[in-house]
Amino acid sequence: MIYKFRAILDAEEDIFRDIAISDDNTLEDLHNTLVNAFGFDGSEGGSFFTCDEDWVQDEEIPLFDMGDVPGEQKTMADIILSDILYDGQTKILYVYDPFNMWTFFVELAAIEKEDESEETELPTLLFAHGVLPAEAPVKDFNSPISNDDIFGDYDDDYDDEDFDMFDNEDFSDFGYDDSNY
């Protein structure tokens, strides 16, 4: 089967690429196709993130295993496209260069049978719209929700005044000698 994707840069301008790739390719193949389609040099890493229909980010799938235990974390090379993207699950987020956060909404737009009569080499760029800016669009991570909204009357954020209550305490019972301070 041929998967046709539209990858849209998270920016105010319309910048997207349509690509076709085989359903038995890996996420790493999709990563390389996106890097080429958008004209990146490929020197930076990236990650895909599974998500729901509202693009709410879930599990990270990085290019390289960066977990504490080698081999424990699945990477892009371990995941076949058809295993995570299909009719019921069509969306995935892609971040290229985690320091600059080039963020893309990638959606499976069509699943088509391969036409044996056509000799189309996959993956391939089908359509390009818009020019990638010189720098990644700036993300506004400021939330309209204040800490007061989140924590309400729960006041467990210790500040200097709260720690004054420990000034006359003797912590020697805990093996701490504060005589030098």
Side-chain angles (χ1 to χ4, degrees), residues 2 4 20 112-122 124 126:
I2 297 175
K4 292 186 175 179
E112 298 177 357
K113 288 188 177 192
E114 292 186 53
D115 186 355
E116 302 292 330
S117 65
E118 289 186 24
E119 292 285 330
T120 305
E121 189 173 325
L122 297 176
T124 189
L126 300 172

Side-chain angles (χ1 to χ4, degrees), residues 6 78 95:
R6 173 160 285 175
D78 300 322
V95 175

Side-chain angles (χ1 to χ4, degrees), residues 47-179:
S47 289
F48 283 98
F49 294 87
T50 58
C51 62
D52 63 15
E53 280 298 309
D54 295 321
W55 299 101
V56 175
Q57 177 178 314
D58 191 24
E59 177 188 357
E60 179 180 11
I61 306 166
L63 180 58
F64 303 108
D65 182 355
M66 297 184 297
D68 294 334
V69 179
E72 186 176 76
Q73 183 177 31
K74 291 221 181 244
T75 64
M76 291 181 199
D78 300 322
I79 309 291
I80 303 296
L81 292 176
S82 60
D83 289 342
I84 64 165
L85 295 164
Y86 42 86
D87 281 331
Q89 175 58 43
T90 61
K91 296 178 179 182
I92 195 163
L93 294 166
Y94 173 63
V95 175
Y96 176 76
D97 185 359
F99 294 108
N100 289 305
M101 297 289 292
W102 291 93
T103 305
F104 299 87
F105 300 100
V106 182
E107 186 164 12
L108 179 58
I111 301 173
E112 298 177 357
K113 288 188 177 192
E114 292 186 53
D115 186 355
E116 302 292 330
S117 65
E118 289 186 24
E119 292 285 330
T120 305
E121 189 173 325
L122 297 176
T124 189
L125 176 65
L126 300 172
F127 184 76
H129 178 79
V131 177
L132 200 66
E135 294 181 6
V138 177
K139 304 287 182 276
D140 181 14
F141 293 109
N142 293 327
S143 172
I145 301 172
S146 71
N147 281 341
D148 289 338
D149 293 335
I150 295 170
F151 298 110
D153 292 333
Y154 184 71
D155 198 13
D156 194 23
D157 55 336
Y158 292 113
D159 55 20
D160 289 341
E161 293 172 4
D162 295 321
F163 286 107
D164 287 344
M165 67 182 161
F166 298 115
D167 282 349
N168 295 324
E169 295 294 323
D170 179 15
F171 291 101
S172 60
D173 292 344
F174 299 104
Y176 176 74
D177 179 15
D178 63 352
S179 62

